[in-house]
Amino acid sequence: MKVTLLQHTPDPETAVALAARLCYSPVGIDELREKLSKSDIAAFLDKIMSLGHQSVLEHASFTFGIEGISRATSHQLVRHRVASYSQQSQRYVTHVERFSAVVPPTIAAQPDLAARFEDQLKAIHETYAALVAAGIPAEDARYILPNAAETKIIVTMNGRELLHFFELRCCERAQWEIRAMAVEMLRLVKAVAPTIFRDAGPGCLAGPCPEGTMTCGRIVAVRERFKEMSA
């Protein structure tokens, strides 16, 4: 898996602070921009975050390039609807050379099962290649490809949606692959917007575990791990 922060709103925290200040100020935008200092920005962001005034976070956007995830994970990712996606097409991109696939660690850890898994992938590839060679359109041949097939996707989310995304997908109850992806996305945005994402992460960081009886039972360790990420 490879996750890259391709681009983001220039100085995202200034953009958010300016938007928030405008809501409470009688002066013009140019004057507000001149008056905003770095210390003002950090203090004001702290205030609006504590008040839950998160609509202003939508003025900052972040675009990620994600490679080497499975279709199983991309299907989960696109359920987050307040985002924009551009995904590698299985209709126009053929895989006759051999499609790459993600092998879950639980399977890779058991050699006998891993071998059977690999045999199935090989058989699928051979059938897929035979279909394409016989003139079947790639858009129809792709029906045989598994959820394990690797994909590439570009994702753009605003700051508010990212906080929600991290709350759900950084959780220990999230599926392992999308969790690893979400944690890496969080690490990347913390570097460019540290105040906005300082307390970002699974829902248990700010209160009791939102999973209730389905809790992972490791809330102390989880909090410590995300605290270290912010250090």
Side-chain angles (χ1 to χ4, degrees):
M1 180 191 300
K2 179 181 179 182
V3 181
T4 305
L5 181 58
L6 298 176
Q7 62 183 33
H8 56 81
T9 300
D11 202 350
E13 296 198 333
T14 297
V16 170
L18 182 60
R21 266 295 171 98
L22 183 65
C23 295
Y24 303 104
S25 177
V27 304
I29 295 174
D30 287 341
E31 186 176 344
L32 282 176
R33 290 179 66 184
E34 292 175 1
K35 288 183 176 181
L36 274 179
S37 67
K38 288 296 181 183
S39 59
D40 289 335
I41 290 169
F44 202 61
L45 285 177
D46 279 337
K47 181 178 180 179
I48 64 172
M49 296 295 286
S50 67
L51 294 174
H53 186 183
Q54 293 191 352
S55 64
V56 292
L57 300 179
E58 296 172 18
H59 293 289
S61 66
F62 304 82
T63 299
F64 304 87
I66 303 169
E67 302 176 78
I69 60 171
S70 69
R71 280 268 170 169
T73 287
S74 70
H75 293 334
Q76 296 178 72
L77 174 60
V78 299
R79 291 176 187 170
H80 295 269
R81 291 173 289 176
V82 186
S84 298
Y85 303 100
S86 296
Q87 186 170 11
Q88 184 185 61
S89 172
Q90 289 182 335
R91 183 182 183 191
Y92 296 108
V93 179
T94 59
H95 300 280
V96 292
E97 294 298 323
R98 175 67 190 268
F99 65 86
S100 298
V102 174
V103 181
T106 52
I107 296 174
Q110 301 189 53
D112 290 344
L113 293 178
R116 292 176 62 182
F117 190 87
E118 179 60 30
D119 287 343
Q120 288 296 315
L121 293 177
K122 182 180 178 181
I124 291 171
H125 166 70
E126 290 173 350
T127 302
Y128 174 87
L131 291 171
V132 174
I136 301 299
E139 65 181 15
D140 293 338
R142 65 178 168 164
Y143 277 62
I144 200 172
L145 294 176
N147 274 335
E150 282 190 3
T151 190
K152 302 176 179 67
I153 191 167
I154 289 178
V155 183
T156 300
M157 291 188 188
N158 65 51
R160 187 182 197 177
E161 178 61 14
L162 273 174
L163 287 177
H164 175 64
F165 175 76
F166 294 143
E167 183 178 338
L168 298 179
R169 302 301 187 174
C170 289
C171 174
E172 288 291 299
R173 290 280 300 160
Q175 190 250 2
W176 65 272
E177 190 179 11
I178 198 169
R179 183 173 68 248
M181 183 189 73
V183 169
E184 180 60 12
M185 290 167 67
L186 175 55
R187 186 187 67 80
L188 291 170
V189 295
K190 275 180 175 285
V192 297
T195 306
I196 292 174
F197 295 106
R198 180 181 56 210
D199 299 320
C204 64
L205 299 187
C209 174
E211 293 293 313
T213 59
M214 301 294 287
T215 179
C216 71
R218 298 187 293 274
I219 190 169
V220 174
V222 169
R223 287 176 174 174
E224 188 61 32
R225 183 161 69 250
F226 281 88
K227 181 180 178 182
E228 291 173 358
M229 184 186 294
S230 300

